[in-house]
Amino acid sequence: MWFLVALLVISAVLLGSEFIKIIDESSVGLIKMLTYFLFYIVVTIEIIKQVWQAKKINKNVIFGLISGYISLGLIGFFICLSIEMAFPNSFSGLIEGISITENLMYYSYITLLTIGYGDILPVSALAHKAAILIGLMGQIYLVVLTAIVVGKYINQTTIKNE
């Protein structure tokens, strides 16, 4: 709870500083991105924890499972965006006319889903490692967490039928 309160305070300070123009725009953008990144990490961990600890499988757990996967894609997006901000041109094939955030959001989900069309490529060593991490996060989530939920559901229906 205190972490979320701290994020709220940081967001309020940033909003106030935009009106006063105390901090330059690049610093504000970087702090905003970091705040969103930390927020989605906390939310994703909480979703995964609640799905993992669920005793009874119902529609809320299934929606939580889906939400966790979507949140992992957002975390992958923030990883890629951080790399691109720190080391420009770490990804090739970004489409002109489409914002970098849209390009990297697309790349993150295509990598998380292990589709890998190959239209956007990681070209730096750090971007390569991020692609591996995002792909592994997607596969581990699908294999482990989905298997746990399916196992709990099977146990739940078996116990109910006995």
Side-chain angles (χ1 to χ4, degrees), residues 53-71:
Q53 295 172 350
K55 301 286 185 223
K56 183 179 177 187
I57 305 303
N58 55 26
K59 67 178 180 179
N60 291 336
V61 175
I62 302 302
F63 288 142
L65 193 64
I66 295 167
S67 298
Y69 198 67
I70 292 169
S71 295

Side-chain angles (χ1 to χ4, degrees), residues 69-128:
Y69 198 67
I70 292 169
S71 295
L72 279 178
L74 289 170
I75 289 174
F77 158 71
F78 282 114
I79 291 170
C80 293
L81 186 60
S82 300
I83 291 170
E84 188 63 28
M85 288 175 76
F87 306 102
N89 301 318
S90 290
F91 297 91
S92 70
L94 300 177
I95 300 170
E96 294 292 325
I98 298 177
S99 70
I100 191 162
T101 56
E102 290 178 28
N103 275 301
L104 292 177
M105 180 78 72
Y106 163 79
Y107 174 76
S108 172
Y109 279 102
I110 292 301
T111 305
L112 183 76
L113 295 165
T114 66
I115 295 172
Y117 290 126
D119 50 348
I120 299 175
L121 302 171
V123 292
S124 70
L126 188 57
H128 286 162

